[in-house]
Amino acid sequence: MSGEPVGVAPGSIRRATVDDLPALRVILRAHDEDGPVAPGQADIVGPYLHHLAEHHTVLLAEDDAGEVVAFGSVLDTGRARVLGDLF
């Protein structure tokens, strides 16, 4: 046994910024968790993601080409940290 991770794809994990929000929305759309906002309806996903990126921890995974392939969020309630999203 070599001690090397098995089945781990190359890439990186980093903290998301508000500049990454469009890529996060692409992932959400792929899971039917986001879509076009109907006329007269409010966009709730965009402000939610912006709040997460500004006030909580959002980590994303990128492949070798720099494409965002997954993300998760952790919300700090002051008493506990809670998994908010995992896609």
Side-chain angles (χ1 to χ4, degrees):
M1 191 174 290
S2 68
E4 293 294 317
V6 177
V8 176
S12 64
I13 296 174
R14 65 175 175 81
R15 191 169 184 146
T17 68
V18 293
D19 293 333
D20 296 308
L21 299 185
L24 302 186
R25 291 191 84 152
V26 168
I27 292 171
L28 288 173
R29 277 191 294 279
H31 293 277
D32 294 325
E33 296 292 330
D34 191 14
V37 177
Q41 298 294 315
D43 176 17
I44 60 170
V45 174
Y48 169 71
L49 291 174
H50 193 275
H51 175 80
L52 288 179
E54 288 289 317
H55 301 286
H56 298 284
T57 302
V58 180
L59 297 177
L60 57 81
E62 295 177 325
D63 63 14
D64 272 352
E67 182 178 346
V68 177
V69 295
F71 79 93
S73 67
V74 177
L75 292 80
D76 188 342
T77 68
R79 295 187 61 128
R81 290 189 179 109
V82 180
L83 179 64
D85 297 285
L86 187 58
F87 289 92

